[in-house]
Amino acid sequence: MNALHSENNREPGAAGISLVDSHAHLDVPEFDPDREEVIVRAREAGVRTILCPADLISDRSLPTVLEIVDRHPGFLAAAGVHPHQAKDFGDDHLRRIGELRAEGRIVAVGEIGLDFYYDFSTPDEQRRCFREQLLLARSAGLPAIIHSRLAGSDVLASIRETDFDRGGILHCYTEDAATAEAMIDRGFVISFSGILTFANAGPLREVARRIPLDKLLVETDSPYLAPVPLRSQKRNEPAFVAETARVLAGLKGVSFDTLAEATTRNFFALFGTPRERA
Ligand SMILES: [Zn+2]
Ligand SMILES: [Zn+2]
């Protein structure tokens, strides 16, 4: 038994650890062989809520995400066009998001955003794709799940120019403290992935330390970015979110349980509890 299990291995329920993985791509083919086992391991680790963002460019992503959330009460779906795929974005995708909203199938638009590290789509294509989805999310009354890489000031400019006021999540956060603070002022919370546990992530840990406890979330971004000490596992999975939560608790100077409770509360403050959504 490793530390992950010894600390989390309690009876579920009021006294048990409850963690939310705010971002996991459980729909991807990497999970086809054993998706249900992965979800069982997540529950055993106290992860009873997982937000699954569907990629509208892929034919299989949305149906797979919807099937997963239908089978697992407490799991939530989002949908959007990722900045990598911005060059293929069009009105059909906006229409699909609108339909999903009307059907009550999604709780957020995402992941959307800007990624200037990769150039799978040009910056202009990315900005147009991001802003049109922000405008739709605003009019639909949905929060946004935002991916931002080397693009913090541009993301902020897009939020301001679209007057986006629905808040949401900055996922897999790697930008600076000033961007985080400006986005928190706009109703966003900041979600940290396994990157926070990496040896070379000292500057990011300093950013995390400065973010108030009531504005923090944790995520895996599975199947990518397995946290330390699980880097040898080629595939990340939601049960491993406890490792990122443990590091974040240390940075904030609180117990693991306090961090778990806070991030769970922050998540439901954004999306409502299951009863409120029903
Ligand atoms: Zn992302
Ligand atoms: Zn993602």
Side-chain angles (χ1 to χ4, degrees), residues 23 25 53 111 171 221:
H23 194 105
H25 298 276
E111 60 184 291
H171 108 90
D221 208 5

Side-chain angles (χ1 to χ4, degrees), residues 18-30:
S18 175
L19 281 164
V20 174
D21 183 350
S22 81
H23 194 105
H25 298 276
L26 289 179
D27 55 297
V28 298
E30 284 90 331

Side-chain angles (χ1 to χ4, degrees), residues 20-24 49-53 76-78 107-108 145 169 267 271:
V20 174
D21 183 350
S22 81
H23 194 105
T49 299
I50 302 177
L51 193 149
C52 302
L76 305 175
V107 298
I145 296 167
I169 299 174
F267 183 87
F271 297 112

Side-chain angles (χ1 to χ4, degrees), residues 27-42:
D27 55 297
V28 298
E30 284 90 331
F31 289 114
D32 284 352
D34 61 347
R35 185 170 288 112
E36 291 307 310
E37 291 153 50
V38 166
I39 292 170
V40 167
R41 283 198 292 276

